[in-house]
Amino acid sequence: MDVAQRLQRIPPYPFREIAMLKAKLLAEGKQILDFGIGDPDMPTPDFVIEALCEAAQDPSTHQYDESGYGIPEYKQAVADFAKKRFGIEVNPEGEIQSLIGAKEALAHIVWAYIDPSDVVLVPDPAYAVFKVQTTWCGGNAVPMALRVENDFLPDLGSIPARVAEAAKIMFLNYPNNPTGAVAPLEFYEEAVRFARDNEILIVQDAAYVEVSFDEAPCHSILEVDGAKDVAIEMHSFSKTFNMTGWRLGWAMGGAEYIDALSKVKSNVDSGTFMAIQRAGIAALARYDEWHPQLIAEYQRRRDALVEGLNSLGWSLEKPRGTFYVWAPVPPSFASSAEFTHALLNDCGILTTPGTAYGTTGEGYVRFSLTIPAEDKLCQIQQAVANIRQNMPDLWA
Ligand SMILES: Cc1ncc(COP(=O)(O)O)c(C=O)c1O
């Protein structure tokens, strides 16, 4: 049977070809240095697992979370965290929604607001969910190019007035996947002004907000005065506590936006397992002690990879956030796809072509610092050595 047209309209899965090549090389007994997928390779902290085990023993966690928005203790823990971490007041009653990870909320908020032919401003390159969901709702995804010369921030001033006026949602994602850029508070101030002037809802994807380096903790857009009037922000435990498989996050923002999201969710899912919400409370309670270790490990990997690539001729700045390195394709290669294939075939290095994130991603490849190998630094050094040996004329 034919799948629905909406499914047929999605472009072919960009990683499929690479995954097939990877499988072929592995079958031939080749070693693969995997910088592909962005999924934390380190385990969830013990104190979170212990909290889950304890909560799962309590039968009162076994039923639907009928609150719809999250259990009161969870929402309070999130509000306390937001106050401590970002200095903001978020009302646990009405301004917070528990999530099954950030991804579902990024999808569901589109279903809450977008009708056929509505305009959505979507960064390019970006996480695919923004555009796919817009397209599924019949909306018109208008790309906002993220370029190095603008620190990978969208140039809001270059958006034509008629597009800005027509737009209903603007997606942002900082720290940014795939570029590793972070957003200064001044940018969020500009974005809030822009949204207010044009009656746009900002959906800020903060999945990586806790992965930032060099003592530059990232901001929440809600730190901007009046942001709740125009913004909702999605947060996640996935990257902060190595909990991608657990599916836990929260949305915070203006009550009307939380309410609309909640209405969609209540028709699609039945909330987050209450024991997992309790584990989330335990995670947030020990954030201060856990977080420096996490960042130190990614910083060590980031520094080794960036310094290694720079020793080969790149002139990369160290990314300020996320666990990705967004590296330009050397001029001796015609495209991201060609370079990605050469890295895999000639050097055994798996990366992601920039075009997997949008057309503006052409000319880049993404290295993920989530490394499944036992010795992380050893894999990074091996990758640099392989490129040095097998691609001698890289920058010629
Ligand atoms: C930019 C971005 N947003 C959201 C997510 C999804 O996060 P979660 O696991 O909380 O659904 C990811 C996952 O890789 C991501 O890269």
Side-chain angles (χ1 to χ4, degrees), residues 70-327:
I71 55 175
E73 316 84 277
Y74 178 72
K75 289 183 296 174
Q76 188 60 54
V78 165
D80 293 345
F81 180 76
K83 171 88 182 144
K84 196 172 74 166
R85 170 66 178 82
F86 302 113
I88 56 177
E89 299 289 344
V90 190
N91 189 344
E93 289 315 311
E95 293 182 342
I96 294 173
Q97 166 70 57
S98 68
L99 301 177
I100 310 175
K103 187 179 193 175
E104 58 97 342
L106 294 164
H108 289 141
I109 196 74
V110 180
W111 289 90
Y113 284 99
I114 298 305
D115 284 320
S117 78
D118 282 346
V119 171
V120 178
L121 297 168
V122 174
D124 181 353
Y127 188 49
V129 171
F130 311 152
K131 185 173 172 186
V132 168
Q133 294 299 328
T134 300
T135 312
W136 277 0
C137 287
N140 180 9
V142 175
M144 301 186 291
L146 307 185
R147 298 190 199 283
V148 64
E149 54 271 26
N150 204 33
D151 297 328
F152 297 111
L153 299 166
D155 178 2
L156 301 181
S158 73
I159 298 171
R162 66 183 164 74
V163 175
E165 275 162 28
K168 275 189 91 177
I169 286 181
M170 174 168 70
F171 276 105
L172 297 176
N173 163 225
Y174 292 98
N176 182 257
N177 175 16
T179 67
V182 301
L185 199 54
E186 300 76 56
F187 171 74
Y188 285 144
E189 285 166 355
E190 185 194 349
V192 166
R193 266 196 309 276
F194 179 83
R196 195 185 295 283
D197 290 349
N198 294 289
E199 292 184 45
I200 295 173
L201 167 62
I202 299 175
V203 179
Q204 149 60 6
D205 173 3
Y208 295 88
V209 74
E210 303 308 335
V211 187
S212 71
F213 305 106
D214 305 327
E215 291 167 18
C218 289
H219 296 282
S220 159
I221 196 168
L222 299 187
E223 290 174 49
V224 177
D225 275 349
K228 280 186 209 165
D229 295 342
V230 293
I232 185 168
E233 190 168 67
M234 311 308 182
H235 288 252
S236 171
F237 285 74
S238 288
K239 326 287 172 178
T240 315
F241 294 99
N242 301 335
M243 288 172 66
T244 45
W246 292 57
R247 314 311 303 134
L248 183 63
W250 73 87
M252 58 186 187
E256 66 170 298
Y257 310 125
I258 293 290
D259 200 43
L261 173 63
S262 185
K263 198 165 173 187
V264 177
K265 276 176 64 63
S266 65
N267 282 284
V268 178
D269 64 61
S270 300
T272 311
F273 180 22
M274 288 186 275
I276 289 185
Q277 295 187 54
R278 286 201 202 161
I281 298 170
L284 292 179
R286 288 179 65 175
Y287 168 88
D288 286 345
E289 147 201 354
W290 163 254
H291 185 247
Q293 305 165 41
L294 180 84
I295 295 310
E297 177 55 25
Y298 285 133
Q299 189 154 344
R300 193 171 79 102
R301 299 180 193 185
R302 177 200 68 166
D303 292 353
L305 182 64
V306 170
E307 285 161 21
L309 293 177
N310 284 349
S311 76
L312 298 171
W314 269 273
S315 17
L316 296 169
E317 283 187 24
K318 291 180 179 165
R320 309 240 343 256
T322 74
F323 39 60
Y324 303 115
V325 173
W326 187 237

